[in-house]
Amino acid sequence: MSKQDDLLEGEMSEVSEPADIYAAVEETAQLLDVPCSRDKVQPALAAFGDGLADGHIVFSMATGERYKGELAFDFTVPTAAGDPYAIALSNGLVEETDHPIRTLFSDVRGRCPVDSYGVDYGIVGGFKKTYVSFPLGELQGLSRLTGIPSMPRALAEHAGFFASHGLDDRVSAIAIDYAHRTWNVYFSGLPAEFIEPETVLSVLRTFGLPEPSERMMEFIRTSFAMYTTFGWDSSKAERICFSARSSDPTALPARYEPQIAKFARNAPYTYTGERVLTYAGALSPSEEFYKLASFYQKTSKLSDRVRPAT
């Protein structure tokens, strides 16, 4: 086990009560000048509060136009609790949908080993996504996932391309955005050759995305994971995002994004040792932007989706 893994899997967080979590959400929102309402956040804490003491809680922000004025807090949900969307539905956080996207979560968890579930909740926009995360020691292969009945066709159409670049058997999670009818496939442990500039440019051309700026390419070459966002009825990629984990609040892209630097230095956290940060660079047809996730609470079973290639 590496020194970095020792850091992540060693000390436990202090256990946070819902009141502590809300205070931390409010403090973090103030860093970003994002409005924070107890009426908006408290229902989520009430719905999922029983599992938060033993879960991972992450605050995240992004620089893209779509994300201005928003702060997300992501958290894991114990598998014993069941479908996070169903929990949100029963607590009035979302409305039921008859769209086929509704069956993807149950189909994935019924056919794949699952480490944890997760929720992406915006303090302004409310409930956004659910995640199904696979065990890091048992990442999933493309053939199993493309065989799931409700899996959108984009994965099967691009499976050969992903496999040709060494990404088969490296899928660490699937995320589902019910409101936008989009979904993400996460690949962990990118091969070193995958993040070489020539390969990156080839990947982006394949998905119809523009070439990255010089500073984005510099960041991509530090990344360990990637996820692609697809719509439901199209095989066209809406975004590709590259991620890297760090404890350095001055790492790329904080060097040239003041808001990210401020967030990286000051977001609250409960555990001892260095702060755990996940930086990301995202590319869409219309823009490139950056994200930062800061772990507020982590446990000895930390299971993020950003790991070096092994």
Side-chain angles (χ1 to χ4, degrees):
M1 183 177 290
S2 69
K3 181 178 179 181
Q4 190 176 48
D5 286 338
D6 286 337
L7 168 65
L8 291 172
E9 298 183 1
E11 302 269 351
M12 295 282 286
S13 298
E14 294 181 19
V15 174
S16 299
E17 298 294 334
D20 299 326
I21 297 170
Y22 179 77
V25 170
E26 191 172 53
E27 178 184 346
T28 308
Q30 290 172 356
L31 291 174
L32 301 173
D33 296 320
V34 173
C36 181
S37 165
R38 186 177 294 275
D39 290 342
K40 194 74 173 182
V41 177
Q42 193 59 42
L45 297 178
F48 295 97
D50 289 346
L52 293 179
D54 298 321
H56 318 310
I57 301 175
V58 183
F59 297 131
S60 59
M61 53 81 66
T63 61
E65 189 66 31
R66 174 182 175 183
Y67 301 95
K68 281 185 177 178
E70 181 65 288
L71 168 71
F73 75 101
D74 302 350
F75 47 87
T76 54
V77 176
T79 55
D83 182 347
Y85 191 86
I87 296 172
L89 184 65
S90 66
N91 284 272
L93 301 179
V94 294
E95 295 183 357
E96 184 60 279
T97 176
D98 59 1
H99 190 276
I101 200 171
R102 185 70 170 88
T103 65
L104 182 56
F105 184 94
S106 60
D107 281 358
V108 171
R109 71 174 182 175
R111 289 164 174 80
C112 301
V114 174
D115 177 62
S116 65
Y117 305 146
V119 168
D120 178 344
Y121 190 91
I123 69 168
V124 175
F127 189 95
K128 293 184 176 182
K129 292 183 183 179
T130 61
Y131 296 86
V132 183
S133 296
F134 309 124
L136 287 174
E138 198 174 352
L139 300 183
Q140 294 301 288
L142 293 166
S143 60
R144 172 177 283 185
L145 293 170
T146 56
I148 292 173
S150 60
M151 184 63 66
R153 61 186 174 89
L155 189 61
E157 291 190 15
H158 295 296
F161 177 79
F162 287 135
S164 71
H165 287 286
L167 299 182
D168 198 6
D169 300 318
R170 292 182 184 268
V171 180
S172 61
I174 298 290
I176 306 164
D177 185 327
Y178 297 90
H180 293 101
R181 305 290 193 260
T182 61
W183 60 283
N184 312 112
V185 55
Y186 289 78
F187 296 94
S188 184
L190 300 179
E193 58 272 17
F194 187 83
I195 54 176
E196 289 297 320
E198 288 186 6
T199 304
V200 171
L201 293 176
S202 173
V203 169
L204 295 178
R205 283 194 296 268
T206 296
F207 289 108
L209 296 172
E211 293 188 8
S213 66
E214 183 177 345
R215 66 185 189 181
M216 176 64 81
M217 182 67 83
E218 183 183 0
F219 172 76
I220 290 172
R221 297 194 70 182
T222 72
S223 63
F224 296 153
M226 178 189 79
Y227 68 88
T228 306
T229 302
F230 294 104
W232 188 260
D233 298 314
S234 171
S235 60
K236 183 178 180 180
E238 297 192 3
R239 285 181 303 281
I240 288 183
C241 186
F242 294 86
S243 302
R245 192 177 59 201
S246 177
S247 59
D248 182 0
T250 66
L252 288 170
R255 294 179 202 165
Y256 40 76
E257 292 286 353
Q259 191 179 48
I260 286 181
K262 180 181 179 181
F263 185 68
R265 289 190 178 97
N266 299 293
Y269 65 103
T270 62
Y271 43 90
T272 58
E274 296 177 291
R275 190 192 315 267
V276 179
L277 305 166
T278 300
Y279 292 95
L283 299 105
S284 76
S286 60
E287 64 176 334
E288 64 178 43
F289 56 95
Y290 298 94
K291 301 181 180 183
L292 176 61
S294 176
F295 278 81
Y296 167 71
Q297 178 174 289
K298 65 184 179 68
T299 74
S300 60
K301 293 179 65 178
L302 181 67
S303 161
D304 69 355
R305 292 177 295 279
V306 182
R307 289 283 170 127
T310 56

